[in-house]
Amino acid sequence: MSAPDYQPQVDALVAAIQGHVSGPAVDLGLQHHSAILPVLHWVDYLKKSQLTGCCDDILDGVRATLVEASGCIALGLIRPALFALRAQIDAALAWLYFKDHPIEWEHLLRTGDGFKARLEVIEYLGRFIERYLARFAVLNSHRTRTVEQPYRVLSAHIHGQSSLVLPTFQNLAAMVYPEQRCAEAITLQSDVAEYINDIFLACYAGRWSSLPDEIVNAAKSRIPAPKQAQLFS
């Protein structure tokens, strides 16, 4: 394809993005910000009181993936937004593991080898963090997210192994999704944020007196009073 043939495609893509930005983008951005608040509260708390001096910058990476998702949704680019959503989970779990494993972290940085899969980290947390499994079970039984495992949904889109999740773009402008699809991505972001919140809370609920009020109050609003002792212990 020559440059003159390709230019109309680029022009149509820019026009589609501009139309989205001048339309629902700001409202969608505000909705997305509300959806990510639980993760923002956790990042602020962890950076203030739980850093170990190892892989501290991963928490900045978690925040960056929130920004990335917001920017993609503001532009109507939902496919890359889904990659950012999954990266939020991956980065949060990576920090939980590598913050206490400086030798493994240094090896990963030096060789590019040694990344931990999600299930590996979940298994590690359940094995070595006291009451992690019991706390997460309480949180999971009173989840508000629309899907129990948002990571699986995101992985299905990213791996593209089904006609249900494969993109069907015929031109560049089609990459800009309509407002309703963007709203669905924000709902999925809410699911991701709750999932990350529950992982962190299952790790740190025993420190409930030092946790931000927003985190504790949100948990108490979900968990029936008789079961709160199972969580915050």
Side-chain angles (χ1 to χ4, degrees):
M1 181 183 293
S2 65
D5 293 330
Y6 193 65
Q7 188 63 50
Q9 288 269 347
V10 175
D11 292 342
L13 173 60
V14 171
I17 291 175
Q18 289 176 334
H20 185 84
V21 169
S22 63
V26 172
D27 286 341
L28 291 169
L30 294 174
Q31 294 171 39
H32 183 263
H33 184 264
S34 295
I36 63 175
L37 282 174
V39 184
L40 290 174
H41 292 319
W42 273 109
V43 169
D44 289 342
Y45 167 76
L46 295 171
K47 285 177 65 68
K48 289 177 182 177
S49 64
Q50 300 298 326
L51 296 183
T52 65
C54 179
C55 75
D56 296 343
D57 52 345
I58 291 183
L59 290 176
D60 294 325
V62 174
R63 189 186 296 274
T65 59
L66 300 173
V67 174
E68 182 181 19
S70 181
C72 289
I73 291 172
L75 297 176
L77 303 175
I78 298 307
R79 287 280 299 172
L82 298 181
F83 282 75
L85 264 60
R86 197 177 85 151
Q88 294 167 17
I89 300 173
D90 285 327
L93 289 170
W95 181 79
L96 283 169
Y97 178 82
F98 285 110
K99 71 181 178 65
D100 297 318
H101 293 83
I103 294 176
E104 290 86 346
W105 178 243
E106 189 278 332
H107 174 77
L108 188 153
L109 294 179
R110 178 167 45 85
T111 67
D113 181 50
F115 290 97
K116 295 297 180 182
R118 179 184 67 94
L119 290 179
E120 287 183 280
V121 180
I122 295 296
E123 181 181 353
Y124 161 79
L125 297 175
R127 181 179 179 186
F128 290 104
I129 295 184
E130 186 178 7
R131 295 195 50 74
Y132 174 86
L133 294 176
R135 290 170 181 158
F136 191 85
V138 171
L139 290 162
N140 194 51
S141 65
H142 297 283
R143 63 186 181 273
T144 64
R145 53 187 179 272
T146 59
V147 292
E148 181 177 357
Q149 291 286 355
Y151 194 88
R152 292 178 182 172
V153 176
L154 294 166
S155 296
H157 283 275
I158 289 169
H159 294 311
Q161 296 179 359
S162 166
S163 59
L164 297 175
V165 295
L166 283 170
T168 58
F169 309 138
Q170 298 298 314
N171 53 67
L172 296 185
M175 294 170 58
V176 181
Y177 280 71
E179 181 177 356
Q180 179 57 39
R181 297 297 299 275
C182 295
E184 292 171 1
I186 293 173
T187 297
L188 187 52
Q189 173 68 89
S190 296
D191 292 348
V192 169
E194 184 181 273
Y195 181 66
I196 293 173
N197 170 82
D198 289 0
I199 291 171
F200 281 141
L201 192 53
C203 293
Y204 290 102
R207 304 171 186 255
W208 63 269
S209 61
S210 69
L211 295 178
D213 290 341
E214 295 88 348
I215 292 173
V216 175
N217 292 338
K220 288 183 177 179
S221 70
R222 286 170 52 194
I223 308 302
K227 292 188 177 181
Q228 290 178 14
Q230 300 177 36
L231 176 63
F232 296 109
S233 63

